[in-house]
């Protein structure tokens, strides 16, 4: 099999050829169809976050593919590999918190991931892809289910967003855009906030109710505009469901500042930066902050159903690249050159 | 009727005599049995928080008493007056968030409160006190239900604490102690953290499983000790339910620092101070922060039931004073001289 492996921070991924791995009785070998490039990969490759498995390591945890080795009933199945693979046995798993299972393993972090021709994984939580969905999208495109779509899906579930709520999505990049779209599907009035006009017009085009470019307004102006929008959209002055996807200090400051009575702020984007906040505002507002890690694999079929039923369209927000371009794509991602999620498609036979 | 009114910040309360007020058809006149002195009263009287009603104003929102004027079916009933009196009609009220109703009124803030012989209030949400409960405690003692007990009760409901959980209560003063006791009633293993040995030994005496005096240990030592305690008490390493009742910056910093996987931190104490936190920890830990304001009046009967069924004992944590001592009691409270909740009992006939 072939892999693109991370050797060291900021160094070019290295092409590695090796024998097909042996699998044990709870594993399968998946032939990769596509693997998305995520901010978490950048954290490992550029921002100094350590992978759990030592380097060199094949990164990539947003994987779709076809089972080519394993138990009979799984062979040739098209699957999505959840980014978080819990044990299914511990107290957290048994109480609906499998996404934060402390025995969980993650491709491209605990073991060799998806920037490869093949990946060896436990099959317990694989999410099957119905043939019907493959009439709409390629299996490679569907890789984004494994993180970019499932993570916001779980966040929105946890936020208890209901029809008619006002959803404010800060950051509509590769993950946030799906947050905005899923909130819309759930019947919310949705406002997207970003610093990129391109991303905002993308959001608008796909049905998001309103947009604000936060780079051209100060905080007071933004808050005033949001209050006006809540009124224009016929939604409530209170109980806003705010989602922070940007993973930046300024995004988190803005999102925290927007808290009002009975609101819920979900923290999805990650940054090591701290910020200064008055935590007691949560008390005065009877408000809530929810952090969320990945997505329970148990919810993946619901996500696939959204796509199957044509409620969620994914092609506009995914861009496909041959995997041999991995070194360019990661640098361009770091340089904020893309407005869409990049998915890398193995092209080992043709180029290596 | 007689009232002790706040005239200005830090000035002695003034004794005021006036005619009995007229009541309208949705109101009653309650003869005050007791009125608790709360940190919120200190906020108004000393810390510069503005009351909604202009001064002079009779403070006091933790009130029990007997209905002496109003509709026939309520006359002579013993009642607790909820600290938060919502409208019952708005969207927030109708979706289970009545405690944060934006039309709510609060005695001793929006209108003349309980440091008086009588108080005029809407009767919609009065909580009746069963005779059985009055065989155990005086009506004056039961004033503490109106805030000191009901507020932590709602917090614990919102935290979804269940039997076997590890509850960490930061600050076991007049309100926090009830938080600790209610967590215990709900079957949690409870750790109390405070800077007062007196308060901690009080807590220990009434069944709290473990205590830590946080003034003699640094953060690392506290965290290590808590991990040991979780083990000793046979509870989980994760999913801790943390409650911040101290309303201090240091208490909030400690509580936030204790967050671990799948934990929930409830912010109950109020401080204007800001603190520097890494909000993304919530994401990495899949953790939650809950702020809570007062208590829905709808939950008061459940609180009274805890007392009626002898699950919650209140006398040890309440100290009664004649209301004529209000000026001394508020100064002594400010000077942290009390470990118990102070309840003032009208003594106008005997002393004024």
């Amino acid at each position: 099999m072939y892999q693109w492996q991370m050797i060291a921070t900021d160094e070019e991924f290295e092409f590695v050829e090796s024998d097909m791995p042996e699998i044990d009785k709870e594993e399968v070998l998946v032939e990769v169809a596509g693997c998305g490039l995520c901010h978490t990969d950048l954290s490992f490759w550029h921002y100094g976050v350590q992978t759990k498995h030592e380097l060199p390591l094949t990164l990539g945890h947003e994987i779709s593919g076809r089972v080519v080795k394993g138990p009979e009933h799984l062979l040739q199945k098209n699957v999505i590999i959840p980014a978080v693979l819990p044990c299914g046995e511990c107290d957290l798993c048994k109480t609906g918190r499998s996404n934060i299972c402390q025995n969980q393993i993650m491709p491209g972090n605990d073991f060799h991931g998806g920037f490869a021709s093949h990946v060896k994984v436990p099959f317990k939580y694989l999410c099957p892809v119905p043939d019907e969905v493959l009439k709409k999208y390629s299996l490679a495109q569907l890789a984004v289910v494994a993180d970019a779509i499932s993570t916001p899906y779980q966040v929105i579930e946890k936020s208890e967003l209901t029809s008619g709520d006002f959803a404010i999505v800060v950051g509509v990049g590769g993950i946030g855009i799906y947050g905005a779209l899923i909130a819309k599907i759930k019947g919310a009035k949705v406002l997207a906030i970003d610093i990129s006009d391109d991303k905002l017009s993308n959001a608008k085009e796909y049905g998001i109710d309103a947009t604000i470019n936060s780079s051209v307004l100060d905080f007071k102006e933004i808050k005033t505009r949001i209050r006006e929008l809540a009124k224009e959209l016929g939604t409530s002055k209170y109980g806003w469901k705010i989602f922070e996807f940007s993973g930046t200090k300024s995004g988190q400051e803005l999102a925290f500042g927007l808290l009002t009575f009975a609101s819920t702020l979900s923290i999805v984007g990650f940054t090591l930066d701290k910020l200064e906040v008055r935590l007691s505002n949560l008390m005065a507002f009877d408000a809530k902050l929810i952090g969320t890690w990945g997505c329970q694999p148990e919810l993946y079929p619901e996500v696939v159903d959204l796509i199957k039923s044509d409620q969620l369209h994914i092609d506009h927000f995914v861009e496909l690249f041959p995997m041999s371009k991995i070194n360019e794509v990661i640098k361009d991602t770091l340089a904020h050159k893309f407005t869409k999620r990049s998915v890398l498609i193995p092209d080992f036979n043709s180029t290596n």
Side-chain angles (χ1 to χ4, degrees), chain A residues 22-206:
Chain A
E22 293 299 311
I23 54 167
D24 80 17
K25 68 179 184 354
E26 295 182 335
E27 292 177 327
V28 289
L29 189 72
V30 172
E31 185 183 59
V32 175
C35 181
L37 184 75
C38 173
H39 191 267
T40 307
D41 296 311
L42 293 184
S43 294
F44 295 141
W45 185 72
H46 178 73
Y47 291 107
V49 176
Q50 299 256 311
T51 54
K52 292 211 186 123
H53 184 286
E54 63 187 4
L55 298 178
L57 177 70
T58 309
L59 302 184
H61 56 269
E62 198 176 75
I63 314 165
S64 58
R66 194 167 48 94
V67 177
V68 291
K69 209 161 144 186
E72 190 76 26
H73 71 284
L74 292 173
L75 280 179
Q76 300 306 320
K77 297 280 184 215
N78 296 305
V79 295
I80 292 154
I81 302 173
V84 161
L85 295 161
C87 75
E89 308 292 338
C90 68
D91 284 350
L92 288 167
C93 282
K94 285 179 182 164
T95 53
R97 305 293 288 265
S98 60
N99 61 307
I100 200 67
C101 165
Q102 290 304 292
N103 308 313
Q104 71 180 255
I105 52 172
M106 176 178 167
N109 185 9
D110 293 278
F111 63 94
H112 290 300
F115 298 136
S117 62
H118 296 80
V119 60
K120 183 180 84 149
V121 290
F123 58 73
K124 188 170 191 165
Y125 286 112
L126 291 180
C127 173
V129 179
D131 290 343
E132 225 177 310
V133 178
L134 291 169
K135 287 178 195 152
K136 301 174 201 287
Y137 303 104
S138 70
L139 188 55
Q141 284 176 313
L142 291 163
V144 291
V145 169
D147 191 355
I149 307 183
S150 56
T151 297
Y153 184 83
Q154 163 155 318
V155 173
I156 284 172
E157 288 289 300
K158 284 174 80 174
S159 77
E160 298 174 341
L161 177 137
T162 54
S163 185
D165 275 352
F166 190 28
I168 302 172
V169 180
V170 179
V172 283
I175 295 204
I177 184 64
Y178 290 115
L181 294 172
I182 295 167
K184 191 76 199 140
I185 292 168
K186 300 271 178 188
K189 301 290 181 184
V190 184
L191 162 66
I193 302 181
D194 207 293
I195 53 170
S196 150
D197 278 332
D198 281 353
K199 288 179 185 168
L200 291 172
S201 63
N202 240 343
K204 193 90 190 175
E205 190 182 336
Y206 278 77

